[in-house]
Amino acid sequence: MTPIISTASRMGNVEEYYFSLKLKQIAQMRAEGKNVLNLGIGSPDLPPSEATVDALIASAKRQDTHAYQSYQGIPELRRAFADWYWEYFGVRLNPDTEILPLIGSKEGIMHISMSYLEAGDEVLVPNPGYPTYRSVSLLTGATVRDYDLVEEKNWQADLDALAKQDLSKVKIMWVNYPNMPTGAQVDPAYFKELVAFAKAHKILLVNDNPYTFILNENPMSLLNVPGAMEVALELNSLSKAHNMAGWRVGMLAGAAEYLEPVVRFKSNMDSGMFKPIQEAAVQALQNPPSWYTELNDVYRARRKEVFALLDLLECSYDPHQVGMFVWAKIPNYYPDGYTLSDAILEATNVFITPGGIFGTQGNGYIRVSLCSDAKVFQEAHTLIAKYKALQPFQIAS
């Protein structure tokens, strides 16, 4: 059928999300009877804390929790986020004016972009980086300017090189530490450099910070830097460290003056979260430190299995990287990560993410998610080892 109307011009440079397409392919392969092991997507397979689930059930059973909710979230949730930021990051936030609960932090990327960007504006987007930074920027009509991250600089921007460019049209710079996809940690000195850079060039920094509790001994917030509230916002989420990805609970923190336009946009796009989810999120934010320790024990054991799998593939990696993925450099006899990923999927029904989906700087890498049971990684290892024994993967570059 030929549609009777055309799509908006803003859709011209925006493609369907890679994982959306890949999940369709995997579903088709499974429909054909193939047992595909999906090691690509970072969707936590473990449950939230029992207390969190109990809070959801208890709240949902009440008669007074099913109405529309405030666009700014219930006060209890804002206070819980504020207490959480103070306990773990040493950042004091006013729960009434400096915290905005979100229906997931991914939606927050859209809310921020639509509140501040339009045609003629420019956005600094990390390469490699989360693809949504780029696609949402394009949807606003803004121009994307990549800034390269390289392994030799610990996946941090060369701010001196950027400062020599014309940045007069840049309004937002997306940063993401602990970094996804590379797993790079960040040090306070670099955060201070980012804040100084943003002040010098009048650029709004937005740090996307959902991975800070996963295999990371030093949780940090950009807002902990003196003066950061003048130039920065920070997104956070309960998806990863609290195993609540499908619950869609996120938050935006920053100065009231920056949050107010986002509230105006958000209030026209969605409503408040289901109240039982908000009340359960309050409980999740009160999980004791032992919750994070026990969760990381699981991820640490899984990461050991992933390292063994990557050793089999003759990839190299930083054993000290953090987050719920492992980022690895492919052997030089592969032209790129897509080639390796496709070869493994076709030969063994094991899916591993090619690094190139995160930008050209990721072409020589692959990424493995830790969101599968250790037995799944062991099974993948066995399948790949069997195939490799019969027919090495080596492809001429």
Side-chain angles (χ1 to χ4, degrees), residues 70 72-83 95-96 99-101:
S70 163
Q72 294 173 273
I74 61 175
E76 295 87 349
L77 179 55
R78 297 197 305 273
R79 285 197 295 271
F81 272 125
D83 291 343
D96 296 325
I99 292 175
L100 176 63

Side-chain angles (χ1 to χ4, degrees), residues 7-258:
T7 58
S9 59
R10 71 175 68 91
M11 295 294 292
N13 294 321
V14 178
E15 299 178 353
E16 186 174 354
Y17 192 43
Y18 174 84
F19 284 121
S20 175
L21 295 170
K22 188 55 67 172
L23 285 173
K24 291 177 185 177
Q25 179 185 353
I26 290 172
Q28 179 60 38
M29 293 175 69
R30 287 173 173 166
E32 295 168 357
K34 298 175 181 177
N35 179 29
V36 180
L37 303 182
N38 184 353
L39 307 185
I41 299 176
S43 179
D45 61 311
L46 299 169
S49 67
E50 186 174 353
T52 300
V53 176
D54 288 345
L56 173 72
I57 294 171
S59 181
K61 285 183 175 180
R62 300 205 320 263
Q63 293 185 359
D64 62 343
T65 59
H66 301 274
Y68 286 120
Q69 297 299 313
S70 163
Y71 299 103
Q72 294 173 273
I74 61 175
E76 295 87 349
L77 179 55
R78 297 197 305 273
R79 285 197 295 271
F81 272 125
D83 291 343
W84 187 59
Y85 255 70
W86 173 244
E87 179 178 1
Y88 289 100
F89 300 122
V91 175
R92 286 202 182 278
L93 296 168
N94 184 326
D96 296 325
T97 60
E98 296 176 340
I99 292 175
L100 176 63
L102 301 168
I103 306 176
S105 60
K106 186 174 183 180
E107 289 81 350
I109 297 171
M110 172 63 83
H111 295 335
I112 295 165
S113 299
M114 292 297 289
S115 298
Y116 286 103
L117 299 174
E118 59 191 348
D121 294 331
E122 295 181 349
V123 190
L124 288 172
V125 171
N127 179 7
Y130 184 35
T132 298
Y133 305 145
R134 172 179 298 275
S135 59
V136 168
S137 298
L138 293 173
L139 284 170
T140 69
T143 299
V144 171
R145 288 179 57 173
D146 282 350
Y147 66 92
D148 289 347
L149 306 180
V150 296
E151 189 170 0
E152 293 72 24
K153 288 185 65 68
N154 193 33
W155 305 103
Q156 296 178 357
D158 187 338
L159 297 179
D160 291 336
L162 276 177
K164 295 175 183 177
Q165 301 176 18
D166 179 5
L167 303 175
S168 59
K169 294 183 180 180
V170 175
K171 292 183 73 176
I172 288 177
M173 180 179 184
W174 289 99
V175 296
N176 168 216
Y177 293 99
N179 188 254
M180 196 292 295
T182 71
Q185 302 182 59
V186 70
D187 58 80
Y190 180 64
F191 267 175
K192 290 179 181 178
E193 291 172 9
L194 279 171
V195 169
F197 174 83
K199 286 185 177 181
H201 299 281
K202 293 183 169 50
I203 295 172
L204 180 66
L205 287 174
V206 186
N207 184 41
D208 192 11
N209 190 22
Y211 298 100
T212 194
F213 289 96
I214 305 296
L215 295 173
N216 181 24
E217 298 296 329
N218 299 298
M220 291 178 58
S221 167
L222 177 63
L223 300 181
N224 189 259
V225 176
M229 293 285 282
E230 300 170 22
V231 294
L233 295 172
E234 185 161 271
L235 288 162
N236 221 310
S237 168
L238 273 63
S239 293
K240 314 300 183 185
H242 298 86
N243 298 333
M244 296 170 67
W247 298 50
R248 309 312 301 138
V249 183
M251 58 91 75
L252 177 63
E257 292 80 0
Y258 290 128

